[in-house]
Amino acid sequence: MKKLAKLEDLAILGGRPWFEAPLHVGRPNVGDRARLFERFNRMLDERWLTNAGPFVRELEEKTAARLRVKHCVAACNATVALEIAVRALGMEGEVIVPAMTFVATAHALQWQAIRPVFCDVDPVTFNLDPAAVEKLIGPKTTGIVGVHLWGRPCDAEALADVARRHGLKLLFDAAHAFGCTYRGRPVGGFGDAEVFSFHATKVVNAFEGGLIATNDDALAAKIRLMKNFGFAGYDDVVYVGTNGKMSEASAAMGLTSLESLDTFVAVNERNYDRYRANLEGLPGLRVIEYDRREKNNFHYVIVEVDPGAGVSRDALQKALWAENIHVRRYFYPGCHRMEPYRTLDPDAAARLPVTEAVAARVLALPTGTAAGPDEVDGVSTILRFCMLNGRALASRLVRP
Ligand SMILES: *Cc1c(COP(=O)(O)O)cnc(C)c1O
């Protein structure tokens, strides 16, 4: 392993990269292979590959029990699941969402000609600020979509209160939050519905997959129709629908992944604690915290780089990439600065000072089962060296 004695030892200044192979954020967790192949064999033997097969139904039952909700409906991915939930809830016109999220949250609305109205986030939690939401409510507003950013739950109670008082629908994008709790209750049971992602990069994965959780019987029934073209029975379509079904192969992976969830979370928490210990007290860098009174999946290790630090967040990112550490700026630059939103609403940034500041400060670090103690220590060593030599490094990076 290389030594870091002088600036030139950094790969960005000509040194050898710390890691030989790239270290990624969101490298998929793989559970028990034997269990997965056993399920694949059963699926192929029975030739039941999709359409409410046994694995999809088992996944829906197991997730509903784990999330303590009445209904879970599996879907092909979270983006389509969000679209279906938005439509089934009857949202239209304008819907209030944070811009500090993955672009799919906004796209799920825009795709259905609903205008996402971007709302600023709370400076402490980085989640939707309920007071700011209330100020944006207008005559066309029909709903609110909250996002549990990095698995840290939204203030679901305050948002529910705003929604109730204004007669709005409340949906949560819970793509990051499987296995997390809010006030001791699993995320999944809040608002009218919550949508999880089982994308390969998420804590539970089904290759591609999504899940809609709700306690509303009528809504669940409508969602089930909508994700299957509106078919109520053979040759009987009662509703406009789409194809949002999850395949049996995905459900087999989802079930296998779910069985390992506790292990994945334990690895994540160990990595998180190790990063915290390694980076403690480092000036200009802060690891974002999780409320230890709640359950968290620790799937995201996010650091905030102080804008006054010697080295900028973006220079730090470049230095890390040169070491083969592919850190990500989740979710820079914010949805409001991506198309079509930046053209449709060019002044949004002025309304979103906290979003702008947060998006400029954050970096997601590699974790999960693909990162062991050596990887966490390597990333931490580079981070420490870059921060402690920030000014010198920054001056070397601007020179031609
Ligand atoms: C991953 C993600 C999605 C989209 O999930 P898919 O299953 O990939 O469609 C939506 N919202 C957020 C916040 C995400 O991180």
Side-chain angles (χ1 to χ4, degrees):
M1 197 168 282
K2 81 167 180 180
K3 282 262 155 36
L4 269 182
K6 51 189 191 310
L7 274 180
E8 290 72 24
D9 292 333
L10 286 172
I12 199 166
L13 296 176
R16 212 158 43 81
W18 189 280
F19 293 104
E20 256 161 45
L23 198 56
H24 295 280
V25 172
R27 187 139 190 251
N29 288 323
V30 176
D32 185 333
R33 254 171 230 242
R35 290 282 290 153
L36 178 64
F37 284 117
E38 204 181 283
R39 288 188 164 111
F40 281 167
N41 278 327
R42 226 158 78 208
M43 172 186 82
L44 297 174
D45 288 346
E46 289 169 24
R47 298 190 190 224
W48 197 341
L49 307 186
T50 186
N51 288 8
F55 292 142
V56 161
R57 278 176 291 154
E58 187 182 345
L59 183 66
E60 291 180 342
E61 281 160 23
K62 291 208 163 131
T63 48
R66 178 142 191 154
L67 301 176
R68 290 195 254 141
V69 294
K70 279 170 83 179
H71 307 279
C72 277
V73 183
C76 54
N77 61 56
T79 307
V80 167
L82 281 167
E83 287 166 10
I84 293 172
V86 160
R87 200 174 180 113
L89 283 167
M91 290 185 183
E92 56 184 23
E94 295 181 356
V95 168
I96 299 169
V97 285
M100 186 62 196
T101 179
F102 183 59
V103 74
T105 320
H107 279 356
L109 296 161
Q110 186 70 32
W111 190 254
Q112 317 190 67
I114 298 168
R115 184 179 158 226
V117 175
F118 296 118
C119 180
D120 213 1
V121 292
D122 178 274
V124 175
T125 66
F126 306 161
N127 283 322
L128 264 190
D129 174 354
V133 168
E134 192 146 22
K135 289 197 190 108
L136 288 174
I137 296 171
K140 291 186 190 156
T141 311
T142 58
I144 303 166
V145 180
V147 178
H148 306 301
L149 189 65
W150 310 317
R152 302 197 301 178
C154 287
D155 189 346
E157 249 161 53
L159 290 171
D161 182 55
V162 173
R164 198 179 316 112
R165 282 188 286 107
H166 294 271
L168 304 176
K169 300 294 183 186
L170 177 60
L171 178 65
F172 289 105
D173 177 339
H176 298 174
F178 200 94
C180 302
T181 61
Y182 168 75
R183 302 197 178 165
R185 269 174 59 204
V187 167
F190 298 96
D192 293 298
E194 302 211 53
V195 174
F196 295 90
S197 172
F198 294 155
H199 181 254
T201 55
K202 305 299 205 279
V203 69
V204 171
N205 96 77
F207 306 126
E208 290 269 3
L211 190 82
I212 305 164
T214 182
N215 286 310
D216 181 331
D217 300 342
L219 183 66
K222 201 164 173 184
I223 286 168
R224 282 195 186 283
L225 283 175
M226 283 185 160
K227 75 151 185 180
N228 188 29
F229 315 99
F231 274 107
Y234 287 115
D235 312 322
D236 184 21
V237 170
V238 297
Y239 217 92
V240 62
T242 185
N243 183 353
K245 296 190 279 11
M246 177 185 272
S247 75
E248 283 291 282
S250 276
M253 181 62 166
L255 282 166
T256 309
S257 185
L258 192 63
E259 284 164 359
S260 291
L261 175 61
D262 295 338
T263 315
F264 297 156
V265 169
V267 169
N268 285 344
E269 185 168 10
R270 203 179 62 209
N271 286 345
Y272 174 83
D273 285 338
R274 197 171 181 101
Y275 272 122
R276 283 288 296 258
N278 288 345
L279 301 172
E280 173 132 46
L282 187 60
L285 197 89
R286 203 171 67 87
V287 182
I288 68 132
E289 296 188 21
Y290 291 98
D291 183 345
R292 298 291 182 130
R293 294 165 303 182
E294 302 286 355
K295 271 197 187 161
N296 301 287
N297 60 31
F298 297 96
H299 192 62
Y300 298 88
V301 177
I302 308 287
V303 293
E304 285 182 78
V305 184
D306 186 336
V311 62
S312 71
R313 187 274 308 264
D314 290 351
L316 191 60
Q317 184 198 26
K318 288 198 183 82
L320 287 157
W321 273 65
E323 305 291 344
N324 262 328
I325 305 165
H326 293 194
V327 294
R328 300 295 304 275
R329 298 179 291 182
Y330 289 155
F331 288 100
Y332 177 82
C335 297
H336 62 298
R337 288 188 179 273
M338 294 180 173
E339 291 296 0
Y341 313 108
R342 67 177 174 220
T343 298
L344 291 171
D345 189 2
D347 304 323
R351 284 201 321 267
L352 307 168
V354 182
T355 302
E356 290 268 298
V358 174
R361 284 203 306 258
V362 289
L363 280 178
L365 307 183
T367 183
T369 53
D374 289 346
E375 283 74 22
V376 171
D377 289 351
V379 175
S380 305
T381 302
I382 300 290
L383 275 171
R384 285 196 77 88
F385 187 82
C386 290
M387 293 309 290
L388 292 173
N389 298 281
R391 226 163 279 284
L393 173 61
S395 73
R396 291 288 299 273
L397 292 180
V398 292
R399 244 177 257 161

